[in-house]
Amino acid sequence: MTTVRREAFGRMPLEEGGGEVEKFVLQSDSVRVEILSFGCIISTLETKDRDGHFSDIVLGFDTLEGYMRKHPFFGAVVGRVANRIANGRFNLDGKQYQLFLNNGPNSLHGGAKGFDKVLWSPQVLPNGVRFFRLSRDSEEGYPGDLKVWVTYTLSGRELAINYQAQTSKTTPISLTNHAYFNLAGQGSRHVYDHEISIEADSYLPVDDTKIPTGEVAAVQGTGFDLRQPVELGKHLQKFHLDGFDHNFCLHQGRDRRLVARVFHPPTGRTMEVHTTQPGIQFYTGNNLDGSLKGKGAATYSKHSAFCLETQNWPDAVNKPHFPNVLLHPGEEYNHTTWLVFNTA
C-alpha cells in the first residue's frame, strides 16, 4: 500500500515566474520518497537498513534555494539530452543545430536551462505522481515542440520512473534521473565501502573532455569489468582510477533487465537498477569538492556519492553506430527505470 501526499515546498523567484513548487511524498512500508515539481527532483529517499532503521540515501538540499543555486543536478531529471554532445553541435536533415556550451567545449544535460531547472505540472496518481511539460521548439537549441511526461510510482520496495515524449519535429532525446546515492546515508564521507556490479560486457572510452571516442571497448581484463561485485575503494586503488564517469553498454533490447546492483555491507542496504535503456553512466562524484552544504548541513566531498544514470549513449547524435537517439513525429519515446531497495 502506497500513500501519496502533496505539500508546498517553496516559491520560484519572481524573475522565474514566481510559481509554487510542490513536494510529493510517496510512502510504502519500506521506502519513503519526496519528489519536487521543480526539475522532477528526488529530494529525499529513505530506505531501511538490516535493523529496520530508515536513512535518507540521496544527496540534496533542505530548501528550494539550494536547488535554485548552481549544483551538479542533484536528484533531477535531465534533458532534452542527458550527458554530453560534442561541441554542442549536431546535423539533422541537412541542418546544423548549435546548443549552449556548458561543460567545457560540450553541451551537458540539456544546456543552460535544461529540464532540471524548470517547473513541471503535476498530477497525483493512486501510487505516485506524473509530471508534464512542453519543451518548445528551439528551446536550448533543440528542434520541435516536445511533450514530456515523467511518472514516479512506488510499489513496496520498488520505485519506478517512466519517461514518455512526443515531438512535432525530429529531435534527439535521452532522459535520465541524476540522483546521487550513498547507501550509508547522505552526508556519509565516501562510498569506498560499497560493493557494485554492472551487467555490461563493454564500455565507452572517452577523450579528455569526456566525449566518447567512438570505440566500444570490452571490459574484460580492465578496471571497467564490474560484472562481478567489487568493493569500490579497493577497486579504484587496484586499477589506479580517480573514479568512474563512463557509459557502460548494456545488453540491447526493449525489455526490463537487471543492469546494476549496489550493496553496503555495514548497513545491509542493497539497491538494484533495472531498465529498458541501452546505457548506464556510472559516476562516482569525482567533482564533488566539499563546497556545497547539503541536507542537515552535510558537506559533500569527492567520492561521497555515486550515480547510476540510465540513458542512451553519450554523443549518440553524432555517432551513427551508437543506439538510435532520434525521436520522429508520430513516434513515442517510452523508457522505464526501476530502483529496487532491499537488505542483505
Side-chain angles (χ1 to χ4, degrees), residues 8-290:
F9 185 71
R11 193 165 280 284
M12 299 282 283
L14 283 175
E15 62 270 21
E16 297 276 353
E20 186 183 26
V21 177
E22 290 184 285
K23 175 171 77 176
F24 296 83
V25 184
L26 282 47
Q27 188 157 5
S28 69
D29 287 342
S30 43
V31 177
R32 182 176 177 277
V33 58
E34 299 181 1
I35 304 155
L36 308 181
S37 57
F38 177 72
C40 302
I41 288 170
I42 296 175
S43 58
T44 298
L45 178 53
E46 296 178 355
T47 69
K48 287 179 178 176
D49 66 11
R50 66 165 64 89
D51 297 322
H53 300 308
F54 279 94
S55 285
D56 183 3
I57 61 167
V58 295
L59 276 54
F61 302 103
D62 289 319
T63 63
L64 180 60
E65 288 70 36
Y67 291 107
M68 297 298 299
R69 291 194 288 269
K70 184 173 168 60
H71 68 93
F73 307 96
F74 286 148
V77 165
V78 293
R80 185 177 296 196
V81 174
N83 216 301
R84 293 167 179 87
I85 294 177
N87 304 308
R89 198 180 299 140
F90 60 90
N91 292 300
L92 208 52
D93 300 329
K95 184 180 175 187
Q96 185 176 92
Y97 293 86
Q98 180 64 55
L99 311 173
F100 184 77
L101 305 182
N102 62 334
N103 186 247
N106 307 315
S107 183
L108 174 71
H109 293 328
K113 189 178 181 182
F115 291 3
D116 60 299
K117 297 180 181 69
V118 292
L119 205 50
W120 293 63
S121 302
Q123 176 195 352
V124 172
L125 305 175
N127 62 339
V129 58
R130 176 178 293 133
F131 298 101
F132 170 79
R133 81 173 296 255
L134 174 62
S135 173
R136 289 283 183 195
D137 186 16
S138 80
E139 177 180 285
E140 287 297 324
Y142 288 98
D145 282 339
L146 186 77
K147 294 177 179 173
V148 190
W149 295 264
V150 178
T151 307
Y152 292 89
T153 49
L154 180 63
S155 177
R157 301 174 182 277
E158 181 174 280
L159 177 65
I161 313 172
N162 174 256
Y163 308 89
Q164 290 171 274
Q166 298 165 353
T167 186
S168 64
K169 294 180 186 173
T170 300
T171 181
I173 178 174
S174 176
L175 304 178
T176 193
N177 179 282
H178 209 308
Y180 285 68
F181 298 96
N182 187 320
L183 299 189
Q186 71 88 26
S188 299
R189 282 185 23 247
H190 59 73
V191 289
Y192 298 141
D193 55 355
H194 289 51
E195 295 176 6
I196 181 148
S197 57
I198 297 178
E199 298 279 335
D201 298 325
S202 53
Y203 77 102
L204 300 181
V206 293
D207 66 19
D208 55 9
T209 72
K210 302 280 196 304
I211 291 290
T213 61
E215 179 191 2
V216 180
V219 300
Q220 183 76 39
T222 75
F224 295 87
D225 191 347
L226 305 177
R227 291 172 295 185
Q228 295 299 317
V230 301
E231 187 179 318
L232 195 54
K234 288 179 181 172
H235 187 81
L236 293 177
Q237 280 184 322
K238 177 181 176 183
F239 289 95
H240 308 291
L241 297 170
D242 186 50
F244 287 94
D245 192 3
H246 295 79
N247 179 84
F248 286 76
C249 308
L250 304 174
H251 302 295
Q252 301 304 293
R254 297 286 307 193
D255 295 335
R256 169 178 176 160
R257 57 220 185 278
L258 172 64
V259 297
R261 186 175 186 271
V262 188
F263 172 45
H264 184 244
T267 60
R269 284 192 183 89
T270 67
M271 180 175 93
E272 289 180 354
V273 182
H274 303 243
T275 192
T276 59
Q277 290 274 24
I280 189 166
Q281 188 86 2
F282 178 37
Y283 174 53
T284 48
N286 313 327
N287 297 321
L288 297 174
D289 59 7

Side-chain angles (χ1 to χ4, degrees), residues 287-293 299-301:
N287 297 321
L288 297 174
D289 59 7
S291 61
L292 291 172
K293 288 285 182 284
T299 301
Y300 299 143
S301 52

